[in-house]
Amino acid sequence: MLRITDARTGEPTDATPARRGLTRVEAHVPRPDTTGLRVLLVADVLVRALEISGTPVWTVLTGTEGRAELRARAAALGIRPFEDERDSGSGLGEAQVLRVRATETGTADGATGNDEAGLDMAVNDVAGNDEAASGLQVEVAPADAESGVADDDERASALRLALLACPRREPLRLDEAALADAEDTLRRWRGAVATWATRPSGPIPDPVRQQLRAAWEDDLDVPAVLAVLRKVETSGTVPDGARFETYAYADRLLGLELTRDIGRETPS
């Protein structure tokens, strides 16, 4: 069962109290900047985690200036479309609402706020709003990037990985070195997956599957999921066919197109 920390209380809570009940994931993105992309990416991964568990999800985008720019940048990152708030109607009888938004405790380069102040601001932001009070608030720290680092669509998959590699409640400053490291990792993993796909298939080892699920069900801990993949990559006991199945399974959550080089003569 996926459990998410509600930013208003600091307590972990079941993301879906009604099993398989309709859950609305609402991404609040004021601007199409790097923080906005990070918020929308976290919402995208949250939707993926819910869908893997069989939960029906309704996605809504709110509060956006420059919506066309945001949608274009999100599409390049492999973020699936969210419905505009104005087109979503008054509700579909959802059992849960998860609102993903940026914390307002400071900026990514030199954040000075503390967790208590951030919690106070989150509570004040929803005070007097009965609709907001009815759901869970998922908080994402600000992100910033060096000039040009987040603007190249040819490196969008690497940007997605770089954004996912940092815990979502930690401020993030992306530079060229971080993006280059993500590119190298993606190139290596995609090449390895393409090679493993030619080996006899094998099931994901139960301990590995349990580690993956435990990671993303524990407050959507994506860096821990990536750590499991790194262990599997260098494991001396996991057969190649099982490595392939492991990476393909994890990519349902990560959305990194890890299988894209299968059958290609020149890996990308």
Side-chain angles (χ1 to χ4, degrees), residues 52-127:
I52 289 172
S53 68
T55 300
V57 183
W58 172 31
T59 60
V60 178
L61 177 64
T62 71
T64 303
E65 299 175 6
R67 188 159 299 202
E69 179 185 351
L70 176 68
R71 288 196 180 281
R73 298 186 71 188
L77 259 64
I79 296 172
R80 293 175 291 184
F82 278 55
E83 186 176 343
D84 284 343
E85 180 183 25
R86 60 179 176 269
D87 299 329
S88 62
S90 59
L92 298 175
E94 60 270 16
Q96 179 63 286
V97 180
L98 303 174
R99 293 182 171 86
V100 186
R101 60 190 303 138
T103 181
E104 300 177 33
T105 55
T107 60
D109 45 349
T112 57
N114 56 49
D115 290 343
E116 183 177 354
L119 179 57
D120 288 343
M121 294 180 76
V123 172
N124 290 337
D125 188 53
V126 299

Side-chain angles (χ1 to χ4, degrees), residues 131-152:
E131 182 183 3
S134 65
L136 304 182
Q137 184 160 300
V138 181
E139 201 165 80
V140 181
D144 195 9
E146 288 183 351
S147 178
V149 167
D151 299 331
D152 187 353

Side-chain angles (χ1 to χ4, degrees), residues 5-256:
T5 299
D6 187 345
R8 299 166 306 170
T9 66
E11 295 295 328
T13 306
D14 290 347
T16 53
R19 182 67 173 169
R20 298 186 185 279
L22 178 64
T23 297
R24 184 168 90 229
V25 174
E26 184 179 291
H28 181 72
V29 183
R31 292 169 297 280
D33 54 10
T34 305
T35 295
L37 277 180
R38 191 184 196 191
V39 169
L40 198 53
L41 178 57
V42 169
D44 178 69
V45 175
L46 177 57
V47 169
R48 290 169 180 265
L50 292 168
E51 290 179 342
I52 289 172
S53 68
T55 300
V57 183
W58 172 31
T59 60
V60 178
L61 177 64
T62 71
T64 303
E65 299 175 6
R67 188 159 299 202
E69 179 185 351
L70 176 68
R71 288 196 180 281
R73 298 186 71 188
L77 259 64
I79 296 172
R80 293 175 291 184
F82 278 55
E83 186 176 343
D84 284 343
E85 180 183 25
R86 60 179 176 269
D87 299 329
S88 62
S90 59
L92 298 175
E94 60 270 16
Q96 179 63 286
V97 180
L98 303 174
R99 293 182 171 86
V100 186
R101 60 190 303 138
T103 181
E104 300 177 33
T105 55
T107 60
D109 45 349
T112 57
N114 56 49
D115 290 343
E116 183 177 354
L119 179 57
D120 288 343
M121 294 180 76
V123 172
N124 290 337
D125 188 53
V126 299
N129 187 330
D130 292 338
E131 182 183 3
S134 65
L136 304 182
Q137 184 160 300
V138 181
E139 201 165 80
V140 181
D144 195 9
E146 288 183 351
S147 178
V149 167
D151 299 331
D152 187 353
D153 286 352
E154 295 298 319
R155 309 173 79 186
S157 292
L159 177 59
R160 182 180 178 107
L161 176 57
L163 289 171
L164 291 176
C166 178
R168 72 169 188 276
R169 289 196 295 273
E170 294 182 8
L172 174 62
R173 171 71 174 175
L174 283 176
D175 56 18
E176 177 60 33
L179 197 63
D181 181 66
E183 281 186 306
D184 289 343
T185 298
L186 270 181
R187 188 178 300 110
R188 187 178 73 250
W189 281 357
R190 287 170 174 171
V193 168
T195 299
W196 297 334
T198 67
R199 307 289 194 260
S201 182
I204 302 172
D206 286 341
V208 173
R209 184 185 293 272
Q210 290 167 7
Q211 289 171 34
L212 288 172
R213 293 297 295 254
W216 78 58
E217 290 181 351
D218 181 13
D219 204 25
L220 205 65
D221 190 349
V222 177
V225 173
L226 296 172
V228 174
L229 293 186
R230 294 188 184 96
K231 287 172 56 180
V232 170
E233 179 185 15
T234 59
S235 171
T237 60
V238 180
D240 285 352
R243 290 186 222 261
F244 168 76
E245 297 294 345
T246 299
Y247 273 64
Y249 177 64
D251 203 37
R252 294 173 59 192
L253 177 85
L254 300 172
L256 294 171

